């Protein structure tokens, strides 16, 4: 589905440089089609992204619809807008969330 495909693309662009410059672990709790727990680890070694909880504790946990997640990563929804109250529920270092724009 679209969520799995988005994570496949993310895995392809995660580099040591992103990991070094970001130093954050993001956990996504997605609802709807293709939902569930997904992660982007930009802290551990070469980084990782995929289904399930991250290998280490998440710095930021975001709950949103899978549709909004896909929009965010296809540049149809800016992360800042995605995290506005009512669109998603977030816990953790919100400044770190802005660093996700580099990956986008």
């Amino acid at each position: 589905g679209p969520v799995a495909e988005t994570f496949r693309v993310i895995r392809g662009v995660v580099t040591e440089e992103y990991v070094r410059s970001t130093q954050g672990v993001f956990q996504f709790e997605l609802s709807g089609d293709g939902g569930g727990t997904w992660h982007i680890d930009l802290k551990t070694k070469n980084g990782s992204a995929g289904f399930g909880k991250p290998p280490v504790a998440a710095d930021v946990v975001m709950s949103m619809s899978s549709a909004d997640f896909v929009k965010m990563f296809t540049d149809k929804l800016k992360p800042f807008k995605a995290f506005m109250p009512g669109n998603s529920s977030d816990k953790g270092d919100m400044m770190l969330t802005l660093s996700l724009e580099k990956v986008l």
Side-chain angles (χ1 to χ4, degrees), residues 43-76:
K43 188 182 256 185
T44 310
K45 295 183 188 172
N46 296 328
S48 66
F51 186 74
K53 291 196 178 239
V56 295
D59 296 300
V60 180
V61 177
M62 292 173 259
S63 300
M64 61 177 41
S65 73
S66 54
D68 278 351
F69 175 82
V70 172
K71 284 182 196 169
M72 186 173 73
F73 278 88
T74 54
D75 209 25
K76 294 186 174 90

Side-chain angles (χ1 to χ4, degrees), residues 11-73:
R11 275 193 298 275
V13 299
V14 169
T15 64
E16 283 184 51
E17 182 184 329
Y18 280 135
V19 173
R20 247 193 330 274
S21 66
T22 306
Q23 290 297 296
V25 178
F26 305 89
Q27 180 174 318
F28 299 91
E29 297 295 338
L30 304 180
S31 59
D33 189 34
T37 300
W38 296 79
H39 73 276
I40 301 174
D41 175 359
L42 296 175
K43 188 182 256 185
T44 310
K45 295 183 188 172
N46 296 328
S48 66
F51 186 74
K53 291 196 178 239
V56 295
D59 296 300
V60 180
V61 177
M62 292 173 259
S63 300
M64 61 177 41
S65 73
S66 54
D68 278 351
F69 175 82
V70 172
K71 284 182 196 169
M72 186 173 73
F73 278 88

